[in-house]
Amino acid sequence: MKNGLLVIYDSEAIYAKHLMDYISDKPGMPFKTTAFTEKNSLFSFLKENNVDILLISAKEMCEEILEFDIQKIVLLTDGNVISDYVNYSSIYKYQSSENVIREVLDYFVDIHKQSGVVPVYSKQADIIGIYSPVGRCGKTLFSIALGQVLSEDYNTLYLNLDEFSPLAKYCNENNSGDLADLMYFFKQDPSAISIKLHAIVNNINGLDFIPPLTYFQDLREVKTQEWANMLTTIASLDSYEKIVIDIGGIVSNIFEMMEVCESVYLPLLSDNYSLMRVEQLEEYMLSHDMGHILDKLKKVEVPRLSTDNVYEEIDTVGMSEIGDCARTVYANAS
């Protein structure tokens, strides 16, 4: 396995160290990161190492840098670049470190295609599915709550496979893509999915999530097996320990998706109509030799929240009564 190498060079020592520490602390990064604040130390390092990306302050850029073996030079700018280097790739340095990482990863994706850097593989992460044949039962809120609860102890990723998702409100304005882009990238180059994944992932209260679809028609033709293949590939990366899948309408075969899940939570309501729908689901599974999948199902009656503001609910749902429900259900299943 080959890891990439990212070098940061900026005479602002506090900035350089903060950015290096932030990137180094992110799990699953496809490169090692080191930082320098003095030119002589940088040059000594560059003489002995092949660098994938040099992230250099635009004020420090000079012709001597071009003599070293560096695949990609990216300027850290404050909005200004001298005319000699205007054709170089650049990143605005005074934005969030998360946005800087996303842009660096986009550049790294391009390098990967030529250099053959591969993702780090490890023990398979647990894939936990959430599905319900009952509408308005709290499925998405429970899914996010479970993800937030799990993220307190595990590196956790949440994916929403519905046609529409309220999580779009929480996506970063500088997104490098959404779920459709990740699937497209996976089809083109499965071995590089870890790079694209980290480039697009967002976070809400400690829970990483992939930005939901902008246009669900983009993925209507994606086969369930392709979703399953992408999920199992993500699960094998050294990035996450738990993956929560909110199984929705863009999945054509829900049972095929459940196959890859270690367990499947089934939110429901207590009224007769809802119970009848769940009973129909169970009968269908038994009549089609899917008893092994039925054994994975764990029914959950999700409590209702007092607030009518769905966005307020999502932001803090892991600390609500639904979060308490998720804690109890997961603890009992462990």
Side-chain angles (χ1 to χ4, degrees):
M1 183 206 68
K2 178 184 175 184
N3 284 323
L5 179 59
L6 170 68
V7 174
I8 301 167
Y9 174 47
D10 196 314
S11 58
E12 294 183 34
I14 295 177
Y15 178 90
K17 184 178 186 306
H18 170 78
L19 184 58
M20 180 188 70
D21 290 344
Y22 191 89
I23 296 174
S24 298
D25 288 342
K26 294 282 287 186
M29 286 289 104
F31 41 66
K32 296 178 180 179
T33 306
T34 188
F36 296 90
T37 58
E38 297 179 354
K39 184 179 295 185
N40 290 337
S41 297
L42 172 68
F43 285 1
S44 296
F45 184 85
L46 294 178
K47 288 178 182 178
E48 303 295 330
N49 295 275
N50 298 325
V51 175
D52 292 273
I53 295 178
L54 173 63
L55 202 55
I56 180 173
S57 169
K59 296 178 181 179
E60 312 292 344
M61 184 60 186
C62 61
E63 291 295 321
E64 297 165 281
I65 293 292
L66 305 179
E67 299 175 5
F68 297 101
D69 185 8
I70 303 168
Q71 292 196 53
K72 183 75 175 180
I73 297 173
V74 180
L75 305 182
L76 283 168
T77 79
D78 58 5
N80 299 304
V81 180
I82 64 173
S83 58
D84 291 345
Y85 305 115
V86 291
N87 292 325
Y88 281 76
S89 300
S90 63
I91 295 175
Y92 181 65
K93 66 187 293 185
Y94 297 118
Q95 59 180 319
S96 71
S97 297
E98 193 65 32
N99 287 343
V100 172
I101 289 177
R102 289 194 183 98
E103 293 191 46
V104 169
L105 284 167
D106 277 340
Y107 290 126
F108 200 78
V109 165
D110 295 332
I111 291 175
H112 167 270
K113 294 176 181 178
Q114 302 173 9
S115 65
V117 176
V118 300
V120 180
Y121 292 93
S122 67
K123 177 183 177 294
Q124 190 87 0
D126 295 331
I127 300 177
I128 301 168
I130 317 291
Y131 171 76
S132 180
V134 180
R136 301 187 62 81
C137 61
K139 175 174 75 75
T140 293
L141 283 176
F142 177 80
S143 301
I144 297 171
L146 179 61
Q148 290 181 352
V149 167
L150 292 175
S151 69
E152 294 172 1
D153 297 309
Y154 306 98
N155 292 323
T156 304
L157 178 69
Y158 169 81
L159 287 84
N160 184 291
L161 299 181
D162 279 317
E163 295 96 331
F164 305 100
S165 170
L167 273 180
K169 176 181 173 67
Y170 292 91
C171 293
N172 191 287
E173 293 180 357
N174 299 313
N175 275 338
S176 297
D178 61 15
L179 188 58
D181 297 301
L182 187 65
M183 173 54 77
Y184 175 81
F185 190 83
F186 177 71
K187 287 183 174 183
Q188 299 300 311
D189 189 359
S191 68
I193 190 173
S194 66
I195 305 172
K196 188 62 177 178
L197 175 64
H198 283 285
I200 70 173
V201 74
N202 279 230
N203 187 281
I204 178 170
N205 282 350
L207 173 64
D208 279 1
F209 70 94
I210 296 172
L213 300 172
T214 304
Y215 304 104
F216 70 87
Q217 294 92 336
D218 292 347
L219 294 179
R220 277 296 190 187
E221 303 303 317
V222 175
K223 297 177 181 178
T224 304
Q225 188 58 53
E226 292 177 302
W227 285 117
N229 290 342
M230 186 179 79
L231 290 172
T232 53
T233 299
I234 293 174
S236 68
L237 300 173
D238 188 29
S239 301
Y240 297 102
E241 299 162 280
K242 306 288 182 182
I243 300 176
V244 177
I245 310 299
D246 192 345
I247 303 172
I250 64 171
V251 177
S252 58
N253 188 328
I254 59 171
F255 305 110
E256 197 172 347
M257 183 63 70
M258 290 179 184
E259 283 276 13
V260 303
C261 297
E262 179 177 295
S263 57
V264 180
Y265 292 100
L266 198 156
L268 48 77
L269 302 173
S270 58
D271 62 281
N272 289 334
Y273 174 76
S274 299
L275 296 176
M276 287 173 61
R277 297 200 67 162
V278 172
E279 185 177 337
Q280 284 184 309
L281 172 68
E282 293 173 332
E283 290 176 353
Y284 178 88
M285 294 174 74
L286 285 173
S287 65
H288 287 76
D289 297 322
M290 290 186 281
H292 64 292
I293 301 178
L294 184 59
D295 291 339
K296 298 181 181 182
L297 298 188
K298 307 177 192 304
K299 299 174 187 176
V300 182
E301 188 171 344
V302 180
R304 295 290 183 178
L305 296 183
S306 56
T307 177
D308 293 326
N309 187 335
V310 65
Y311 298 120
E312 179 182 333
E313 291 175 357
I314 290 174
D315 197 38
T316 59
V317 68
M319 298 176 284
S320 70
E321 51 265 48
I322 295 182
D324 293 339
C325 172
R327 281 186 178 84
T328 300
V329 168
Y330 185 77
N332 290 339
S334 300

